[in-house]
Amino acid sequence: MRRPASRPTTGGVLSEIWGNNGPVWFDDPINGNPAVAGGDTSVGRVELYGFDNFMRGKIASPVGDGRLFFSRNTADNYDLVSKFALSVGDEWRARLAGNCPQNWVPSAQRCGVIPGTPFRPQEINPVNEVTKSAYLMTRFKGESGDLQISGNVGLRYTKTTRQSDGFLAFPIATGLSSDQECVAQFTEWQGRPEPKAPFVPSSFCSLTPQVRAAARAWQNGATVPSSVKTSFEYWLPSLNLKVMAPHGLQYRLGLSKTMTPPDIGLTRNYYNLSLNTNFDGITNGQPSGNVTVGNPYLKPTTSKNVDASVEWYFAPVGSLTLALFYKELNDVAANTTVRLPFTNNGATFSALVTTPGNSDQTGKIKGFEVGYQQFYDFLPKPFDGLGVNANFSYIESEGVPQSTLSATDPDVGAGRVTTVDTSKLPLQGLSKYNANLAVIYEKNKVSARLAYSWRSDFLLTVRDVIVPYAPIMNEATGQLDGSFFYTVNDKMKIGVQGVNLLNETTRATQVLNSDLLKTGRSWFMNDRRYTFVVRASF
C-alpha cells in the first residue's frame, strides 16, 4: 500500500493529496523537482510495516499488506529525518512563499524565530505565580454521657499573585495569490473551449483587490507584547466533628470550603491570530479569523463541601460504613466566545475569540459510599486468614458547562470546539457507579490478594483532538488483578503479581449530540501483565 507523506507535528505540510503537484508518495523518486525525472530515490529510507499481529490477530489489519514508514529511529536520526522531509516537501511545491517557508521545515528554520532557538516570541508564555497562605486551627474534645466528642475548627487564608506575559501575534501570510495570479485565473478560464462552466475564482481571488491588499497587510507577522498582573485571595473555613458512641459506632461530620487553582496552561497570555480566506471563512466579502487565547484573569474554582458518615466497627478487623457527600462548585473553568475586531498595519479584520472563563453557574456533586471489610479469623484453620474488602459508590454530577480548551495546545479555535452542550455531561473523570471487591488471605508466610474493580461509563475528555472534536466517553469497564507472596525469612520475600487477568478490552465512544447519543470511537487491548518479584533487605 502506498502512503502519501503527511503532516508532522511542527506545522506545515510535507505533501497533501490535492494540488497541482501532489501527492508525493513515500516511494516516489526524490529529486527536488517534480518536473524532472530520475535523481535520488527514497530507497533505503522507507520500509513496509504490516502490523501482522493487530489486536492479537483477532481483527484483520486495517492496512492490508502494510504501509510505508520512515525506516530509521526518528529520535536518533533527526537530521536525516529532517533532510528527508524537506526533500519530500520540495517535491510537492516550492518551499518559500513571501520569503517564509510554506512547507514543513524544522522549527528553528521557520520565519520569526528568536535567533538561536526553535521558538517564535509568541510561543513563549511565562506565567509566574506566588502563593502565600496562613492557617489557624483549634482542637476540641469532651464527653456527653456515653458519647466521646472531638474535632477541630480551622481557617485558612490564601493569596495568589499572578503575572502572565505574552504577545498578540498576527499571522504571516503564506499561499495568498497575487493580483496578477488572480487575473491569470480569469484569463485561463476565458481560454477554455465552449461550452464551459461559469467562472469560479479561488476563495482569495473572489475578494475585491482592496480586501486582498488589506489581508496581505494584516498578515505581516507583527507581535505586540502584553503583560498582565492580577491577584486572588480567599478565606477558607473548615469544621471536623467526630462522635464515638458505644458498641463500636462512630459518627463523622465535615464542613469546609476549598479552592482549586486553574491549570496554569489556561492562564497563559497569548493571542495567536489567524485569518481564514477560504470560502467558509468569508462573510459579506470579508474574511474573518478565529483564535483561542489564554486567560490570565482566570480565577480558581471554589467548592463548598459537606461530608457525613456512620461507621460500625463490629470486630477488631471488621467494619461497615456509610458515607454521604455533597459539593457545590463555583467559578468552574468553561468556554466563553466573542467576536472582536483586530487592527494591524492599517487593516482591520474580526476574529471569533474563544477563551477559558469562569462559569456563573453552580455545579453540584452528590453521592454516597458503602464499605465493608472483615477478616474471618473465627473460621477453622487454614481459612482463618481469609478476608474481604468491598465498597460501592454512587456519584451524581450536574450543572456546569465544561471547558473544551486545551492547557497545552493553543490551536483550539472556535471551529474545533465541540457542538455538544457540555452542561449535560458528567464532570470529567467521574463514574456514576463504582464497585470494588478484594478477597485477601494473610496467614503465616503466605500473603495473597485477588481484587476486581469496576466502574460505569465516564467522561474521558470534553473535546477530542480530531474532527468532529466530540466529547469522548470511556465505557463501563472492570479489571481483575491478583498477587501471591511468600515470606522466605525476615529479609526476603518472593512472589508474583498479575494485572488485567481477564484481558479486559477498553472501549471509548464519542458523543454525537446534546441528546448524548454515542457511537464507537476506539478500542484498546491492554494485555495481561505478569511480574515476578523478589524483595530483600540488607
Side-chain angles (χ1 to χ4, degrees), residues 387-401:
V388 169
N389 189 334
N391 61 70
F392 172 82
S393 64
Y394 171 84
I395 304 174
E396 183 177 318
S397 59
E398 59 182 16
V400 175

Side-chain angles (χ1 to χ4, degrees), residues 178-194:
S178 66
D179 289 342
Q180 292 80 3
E181 289 171 327
C182 289
V183 172
Q185 290 183 19
F186 182 73
T187 303
E188 187 274 334
W189 174 81
Q190 282 184 315
R192 294 177 187 175
E194 297 290 349

